[in-house]
Amino acid sequence: MATNGQPPGTTTVHVVTGNLTCAGTIVYLSADGSWQTALERARAFEREDEAKAELARVRVDEAEITEPYVFAAASRDGRVGPSSAREILRAAGPSTRLRRPD
Amino acid sequence: MYRYDDDDKRLVRERAEQFRGQVERRIAGEITEEEFKPLRLQNGLYLQLHAYMLRIAIPYGLFSSGQMRQLAHIARTWDRGYGHFTTRQNIQFNWSKLDEVPDILDALAEVEMHAIQTSGNCIRNITTDHLGGVARDELEDPRPWCELTRQWSTFHPEFAHLPRKFKIAFTATPGLDRAAIKLHDIGVRLVQSADGDPGFEIWVGGGMGRTPIIGACIREFLPRRHLLSYLEAILRVYNLNGRRDNIFRARIKILVSSLGIERFRELVEEEWAASREDAMEFRDDEIARMQSFFAPPAYPAAGSSDELLLSYRQAEDLEFARFARNNVVLHKQPGYSAVVLSLKSFDAPAGDLSDTQMDSIANLADRFGFGEIRATHNQDLVLPDVRTSDLPELWRELQTLDVATANAGRLTDLICCPGLDFCNLANARSLPLAQEIRQRFDDLDYLDDLGPLSLKISGCINACGHHHVGNIGILGIDKKGEEFYQLMLGGSADDDASLGRVLGPAFSRDVIVGAVDRVLQTYLGLRESDDETFIEAYRRVGEAPFRDALYGQVLYANHPPA
Ligand code: SF4
């Protein structure tokens, strides 16, 4: 799972993520303030401190979101993608064959 | 096996009911995650990488066909149709939804199961030899002692908030250890005194994780009626003196090694002398009552089947012969065998079983035994009471279920934690690596040529995959967001326990399996005879030839180790 050596034109952005409290599903904070399951729909913060300020705001609603945090992602041509092994797997799901995938 | 009495049933039902209320308040936002987290952990519920994960206790790895069917039902109804057997003889479901967990706990309570104390800083599931009660080489069945310890430790108020988690394991075979007791916070071995009195040898302060330590013997002989008072004295000394200021220094192994075993022993003996008068002491009738739950089933009379098993092991059907050699264990009851079901087939994730496999295995446990199944710390299953003459028929059934790979105790029967595919703490993936190793070395002749060999993989330093005690251990590490793997050699979890050593820099994902291959080639090249096992050869020659083979040549010119 190569994560470095990003292509030219790639910039680092910051994304707010967490798990929905009831379902446990991974979600990302979008531009309209809703939680979305697709990373591509996440709001890309150019500055980490902006993302952290937003993190402090969403933390208040713990009934909806659990253990939110900010991670660094890659942005290219307006598309946001993961740039660490952990976030690649969070976005794409387990890389092993499940006994019975959904 | 032990059956719940009315008090047990009420306790487990009440606990499920209590958790239902806690979940409702969490979802309603009436309690914060900080308040809820310790409550969910006490009920085995983690928030993992993708979803909640529920860990269910299988006390000392023993469960019934009915319980297996209920696990299948849970997998089908509330999860994604499969479960994962762990290195602590438990089972995990990876895709739980918080609001459905109370229903799962109710379903578990129906079959005398629960998830209590499968997480948190308390005494966890008691583990033991998966062949307890049927092993021909054991002194005595360890399971009654496991159950007595389980009952004592469940909801023990004094030990509900220990400095860190606490694991106890039992074994009962002289000179052999199938439960890795020296790698546990407390290890208990059933022994006899010089006069033939039954008792225990007690080990303390072993463990893996960030600081792997092989435990030390704290008492060579403890009369058996004192088991719980002595365990209580150890736990009390730990609870009072263990560090709570640093999570990485909080396990009992750190306390024992910082005080030294002599001083730790003194403290425990002082505490024991002061408290044992008032502590619980087993009466013989109570021991006998507990042993009666584990009395051997009513085996229909049969003569010895040793000759028959020998003939199976030399059968013309080479596949069956290999299965009989590798996956069938001699039983103490004449005419019977214990059979290892490998959960490490060619392309299945290690330790996983689908709901349909679970149902089918439950049926086989009834048809070819007395409805009992064991989970092993090696992430396999055992059918413990199979008539030896039924082995060919059982083997054909197991083949259709993809659990008949004849690799028990071989390289590809590896231990593997969930790693970065599921675990929130992971640095690197372990399941796909395990899969690649199984596929690359998918040659049973080659595996038999290699002989007994343990390979263990962890996705981070917490060592749930026991990498420190693998003959070959692999540890996933993170280098700037990329997965790398440290290779270590020379570990063993057996009676002659040893910790593996890292031989050099970590390998990237695309060369780590090649590095394992290089280690195997080196072993084959230097062993003195076909009978010299990997660990024997490693201990004889040391790490130098392996290090040279891995790092001394330009093996990885295109993919240099980091
Ligand atoms: S060893 Fe690390 S990655 Fe593997 S299950 Fe344990 S905590 Fe998770």
Side-chain angles (χ1 to χ4, degrees):
Chain A
M1 190 175 294
T3 54
N4 53 14
Q6 302 280 6
T10 305
T11 57
T12 296
V13 295
H14 304 275
V15 170
V16 182
T17 186
N19 293 72
L20 291 179
T21 296
C22 187
T25 315
I26 293 169
V27 284
Y28 306 93
L29 187 68
S30 71
D32 67 8
S34 64
W35 292 103
Q36 299 290 334
T37 53
L39 176 56
E40 302 86 69
R41 302 189 62 182
R43 176 173 173 192
F45 293 91
E46 283 176 13
R47 287 180 25 209
E48 191 177 6
D49 58 350
E50 284 176 341
K52 289 212 164 140
E54 202 58 21
L55 176 66
R57 193 187 64 73
V58 302
R59 271 220 169 99
V60 174
D61 191 2
E62 284 211 54
E64 186 172 20
I65 195 79
T66 290
E67 298 190 353
Y69 64 94
V70 170
F71 70 90
S75 173
R76 186 158 177 263
D77 299 333
R79 284 179 65 86
V80 182
S83 56
S84 68
R86 173 188 165 86
E87 293 304 333
I88 290 170
L89 286 161
R90 281 183 85 238
S95 62
T96 54
R97 180 176 78 83
L98 299 183
R99 275 291 186 181
R100 176 186 287 180
D102 266 4
Chain B
M1 63 191 287
Y2 179 74
R3 298 306 312 265
Y4 281 12
D5 62 18
D6 288 345
D7 286 338
D8 297 321
K9 287 180 185 163
R10 183 177 49 76
L11 271 176
V12 169
R13 272 202 313 270
E14 283 178 1
R15 183 59 175 263
E17 190 57 33
Q18 181 191 47
F19 191 57
R20 184 179 291 279
Q22 292 161 347
V23 166
E24 283 168 3
R25 279 182 287 147
R26 174 73 188 101
I27 292 171
E30 292 166 18
I31 50 178
T32 64
E33 178 61 13
E34 194 183 348
E35 291 162 332
F36 180 63
K37 191 171 177 178
L39 302 175
R40 69 168 161 78
L41 289 178
Q42 282 167 18
N43 290 284
L45 190 65
Y46 289 75
L47 182 57
Q48 289 288 42
L49 202 63
H50 306 285
Y52 291 100
M53 179 273 280
L54 182 65
R55 180 180 297 150
I56 293 162
I58 302 178
Y60 35 94
L62 173 64
F63 59 131
S64 69
S65 53
Q67 290 173 325
M68 180 69 120
R69 285 189 195 94
Q70 191 74 324
L71 293 173
H73 169 66
I74 289 168
R76 203 161 35 238
T77 310
W78 292 291
D79 214 85
R80 293 199 180 176
Y82 73 102
H84 176 77
F85 287 92
T86 76
T87 53
R88 301 213 68 255
Q89 301 179 296
N90 289 320
I91 185 169
Q92 296 177 174
F93 289 107
N94 283 315
W95 302 96
S96 301
K97 292 187 170 55
L98 183 57
D99 58 341
E100 294 176 349
V101 171
D103 294 337
I104 301 176
L105 296 186
D106 285 346
L108 289 170
E110 282 172 20
V111 293
E112 304 180 8
M113 295 184 91
H114 59 74
I116 298 162
Q117 291 183 206
T118 58
S119 176
N121 294 335
C122 53
I123 301 173
R124 302 285 192 88
N125 189 28
I126 311 296
T127 55
T128 193
D129 185 344
H130 51 269
L131 298 177
V134 304
R136 200 176 273 188
D137 51 11
E138 76 183 6
L139 199 60
E140 184 188 324
D141 187 349
R143 296 171 304 165
W145 301 101
C146 296
E147 177 57 29
L148 287 164
T149 309
R150 185 193 73 81
Q151 294 191 9
W152 159 79
S153 62
T154 303
F155 297 136
H156 195 305
E158 185 178 344
F159 305 133
H161 296 286
L162 294 168
R164 278 290 278 142
K165 57 187 170 183
F166 203 93
K167 300 173 182 176
I168 303 175
F170 283 73
T171 189
T173 299
L176 258 182
D177 182 2
R178 287 179 287 258
I181 64 161
K182 294 175 188 171
L183 283 309
H184 281 75
D185 297 292
I186 292 179
V188 183
R189 182 192 293 280
L190 280 72
V191 293
Q192 277 183 343
S193 70
D195 300 332
D197 293 330
F200 304 101
E201 180 183 272
I202 311 285
W203 290 71
V204 69
M208 288 178 268
R210 189 173 295 261
T211 314
I213 295 177
I214 294 171
C217 182
I218 184 168
R219 206 168 218 283
E220 287 180 1
F221 186 78
L222 178 75
R224 63 184 192 172
R225 68 181 184 282
H226 293 307
L227 177 67
L228 295 189
S229 62
Y230 197 76
L231 295 188
E232 207 151 84
I234 295 175
L235 263 298
R236 192 164 292 141
V237 169
Y238 167 54
N239 206 15
L240 291 172
N241 298 284
R243 286 181 61 171
R244 291 173 187 270
D245 60 330
N246 180 342
I247 191 173
F248 303 124
R249 312 288 298 162
R251 295 289 291 267
I252 192 174
K253 62 189 175 187
I254 304 295
L255 179 66
V256 173
S257 60
S258 64
L259 291 174
I261 184 64
E262 288 77 18
R263 178 66 189 135
F264 186 80
R265 185 184 292 121
E266 276 172 23
L267 291 174
V268 169
E269 293 287 332
E270 273 170 30
E271 172 57 41
W272 192 46
S275 60
R276 80 181 197 215
E277 286 291 292
D278 302 326
M280 193 179 340
E281 213 176 81
F282 289 129
R283 295 188 320 264
D284 285 347
D285 62 334
E286 173 59 16
I287 297 171
R289 190 186 79 85
M290 189 54 77
Q291 285 172 329
S292 70
F293 284 108
F294 299 90
Y299 295 108
S304 167
S305 61
D306 288 12
E307 293 284 319
L308 181 61
L309 183 55
L310 195 63
S311 71
Y312 287 157
R313 288 175 170 171
Q314 295 162 348
E316 279 182 16
D317 183 333
L318 296 180
E319 264 190 90
F320 175 62
R322 193 192 306 275
F323 181 80
R325 281 198 304 274
N326 290 348
N327 292 39
V328 179
V329 183
L330 289 170
H331 200 289
K332 64 163 69 158
Q333 178 70 20
Y336 284 78
S337 297
V339 177
V340 177
L341 280 52
S342 170
L343 306 192
K344 326 285 172 50
S345 69
F346 178 71
D347 65 348
D352 281 11
L353 269 191
S354 72
D355 61 326
T356 50
Q357 286 174 307
M358 291 183 206
D359 276 333
S360 301
I361 290 169
N363 294 342
L364 294 178
D366 289 337
R367 196 170 130 206
F368 293 98
F370 301 88
E372 241 186 44
I373 305 164
R374 317 281 180 90
T376 79
H377 94 270
N378 219 36
Q379 298 179 285
D380 293 315
L381 296 179
V382 169
L383 294 184
D385 297 303
V386 179
R387 270 187 92 114
T388 306
S389 55
D390 286 340
L391 280 173
E393 199 181 340
L394 173 64
W395 174 67
R396 280 189 289 275
E397 298 281 359
L398 296 176
Q399 279 188 309
T400 65
L401 296 175
D402 193 27
V403 293
T405 308
N407 61 353
R410 299 293 189 244
L411 176 81
T412 55
D413 184 21
L414 42 79
I415 284 185
C416 176
C417 81
L420 191 53
D421 279 295
F422 292 97
C423 179
N424 221 354
L425 303 173
N427 288 325
R429 288 173 296 165
S430 45
L431 289 167
L433 185 59
Q435 211 154 317
E436 189 184 331
I437 289 171
R438 286 203 311 274
Q439 291 172 359
R440 173 133 174 194
F441 303 106
D442 182 42
D443 175 343
L444 290 167
D445 285 332
Y446 180 63
L447 296 180
D448 278 350
D449 188 25
L450 289 170
L453 207 164
S454 63
L455 191 152
K456 302 179 196 258
I457 309 172
S458 301
C460 82
I461 196 69
N462 287 318
C464 304
H466 300 182
H467 61 276
H468 296 295
V469 290
N471 297 167
I472 301 174
I474 298 178
L475 166 65
I477 59 174
D478 173 297
K479 283 182 185 277
K480 298 192 180 123
E482 292 218 38
E483 298 162 292
F484 275 78
Y485 296 89
Q486 269 180 354
L487 190 60
M488 55 190 74
L489 301 181
S492 166
D494 298 340
D495 207 37
D496 57 351
S498 56
L499 300 171
R501 279 175 56 87
V502 178
L503 301 193
F507 295 96
S508 62
R509 175 69 181 84
D510 47 352
V511 298
I512 178 66
V513 179
V516 171
D517 193 17
R518 177 61 59 148
V519 167
L520 299 175
Q521 295 302 327
T522 306
Y523 156 63
L524 290 175
L526 58 72
R527 69 179 173 186
E528 285 188 323
S529 73
D530 290 356
D531 293 334
E532 190 180 38
T533 63
F534 179 90
I535 190 71
E536 288 165 351
Y538 179 84
R539 285 173 179 166
R540 176 173 57 80
V541 303
E543 63 191 53
F546 294 94
R547 198 181 45 236
D548 290 350
L550 286 168
Y551 301 102
Q553 303 168 29
V554 193
L555 287 174
Y556 299 99
N558 297 324
H559 303 283

